Amino acid sequence: MWRLCIGALVLVSLFSFSAANQPPNLNSTFWPEQWYGTWRFWNSTGDLLIEYGWWFYDWPNQFLRMDNHLSYCRNPQDSSTHVFCEGVFLNNNFYFYIPSQEVCCLCMPGLGMSAPDWILADAKTASMYSGILYELLDINSTLVKFMAGDQPQMYYQSTLSTLPTALAFGDPHIDPTQNQWLDTTVGPIPEWANNVPWPCDATCPTALGCGNMEEFKKERTD
């Protein structure tokens, strides 16, 4: 999972489904195999938008596109600035596409998209709760708390649609950053979502930081 909080904002009349010392049954939190919408990464304390864009998830076709409008992709022509880019997973590889510069490149071979049951990787540390109001979006949610390595995570999923609501990182009292998914729809992604000019096998410019992703790949594949 891209790993790409809210603490007191969450209503805490929590109800646990998991038996003592037993991991919960997380089947109800698996993602649909095809869905799309928008996403944003932001700091809730300062109301600071860090990143946002489209999100297209297509597990049967091994395709995931995450748009980045603000801060993720440095400009290959001027690394002090940023450009819009699409981060694209396809067939167990990760690519970048920068339409404005006609840059299309293979960032990390062998790095695949997250499966619908991605959360099972951390099931041994998970606890699950129902009836949680995710107040930032006013969505009634199921909450799964788990550890990703040594970092606590809080995953919220709509109780009505099985679609993701938010993923908060770290201790919610210390780190208020989180991913949020908005305006999501279950079903096949639009044909125009895969706009990458394949094949896309050029080496990515240094400014895109692909060399720094080796550790992330190791986490995902170990």
Side-chain angles (χ1 to χ4, degrees), residues 127-158:
S127 55
M128 190 163 70
Y129 309 86
S130 69
I132 308 303
L133 180 63
Y134 182 70
E135 288 197 355
L136 293 176
L137 297 177
D138 195 28
I139 295 177
N140 190 43
S141 302
T142 297
L143 167 63
V144 181
K145 294 183 178 181
F146 62 95
M147 297 294 295
D150 59 356
Q151 186 181 54
Q153 312 270 301
M154 301 171 67
Y155 172 66
Y156 298 83
Q157 180 168 288
S158 169

Side-chain angles (χ1 to χ4, degrees), residues 5-10 12 44-45 145 152 154 156 168-178:
C5 295
I6 39 185
L9 292 177
V10 179
V12 290
S44 60
T45 298
K145 294 183 178 181
M154 301 171 67
Y156 298 83
F169 303 93
D171 184 337
H173 302 289
I174 299 173
D175 185 354
T177 57
Q178 57 218 269

Side-chain angles (χ1 to χ4, degrees), residues 28-163:
S28 64
T29 66
F30 294 174
W31 285 354
E33 290 198 341
Q34 293 178 309
W35 58 278
Y36 61 96
T38 59
W39 78 289
R40 66 182 180 184
F41 182 53
W42 77 313
N43 180 305
S44 60
T45 298
D47 196 22
L48 174 65
L49 181 62
I50 301 169
E51 194 54 88
Y52 74 98
W54 281 105
W55 178 291
F56 300 98
Y57 185 89
D58 187 346
W59 178 249
N61 292 301
Q62 291 293 287
F63 177 84
L64 169 62
R65 167 181 156 185
M66 302 178 299
D67 287 358
N68 303 277
H69 280 268
L70 297 179
S71 61
Y72 192 81
C73 284
R74 291 193 177 276
N75 188 339
Q77 298 179 5
D78 177 5
S79 62
S80 66
T81 62
H82 296 84
V83 292
F84 168 76
C85 70
E86 300 172 13
V88 177
F89 292 88
L90 180 69
N91 296 332
N92 207 41
N93 293 316
F94 178 65
Y95 304 86
F96 277 123
Y97 177 42
I98 304 176
S100 64
Q101 299 183 7
E102 298 183 347
V103 170
C104 186
C105 59
L106 174 60
C107 180
M108 186 59 59
L111 181 63
M113 64 188 288
S114 298
D117 62 356
W118 62 270
I119 203 167
L120 288 181
D122 302 297
K124 290 182 179 179
T125 65
S127 55
M128 190 163 70
Y129 309 86
S130 69
I132 308 303
L133 180 63
Y134 182 70
E135 288 197 355
L136 293 176
L137 297 177
D138 195 28
I139 295 177
N140 190 43
S141 302
T142 297
L143 167 63
V144 181
K145 294 183 178 181
F146 62 95
M147 297 294 295
D150 59 356
Q151 186 181 54
Q153 312 270 301
M154 301 171 67
Y155 172 66
Y156 298 83
Q157 180 168 288
S158 169
T159 55
L160 297 179
S161 67
T162 72
L163 286 164

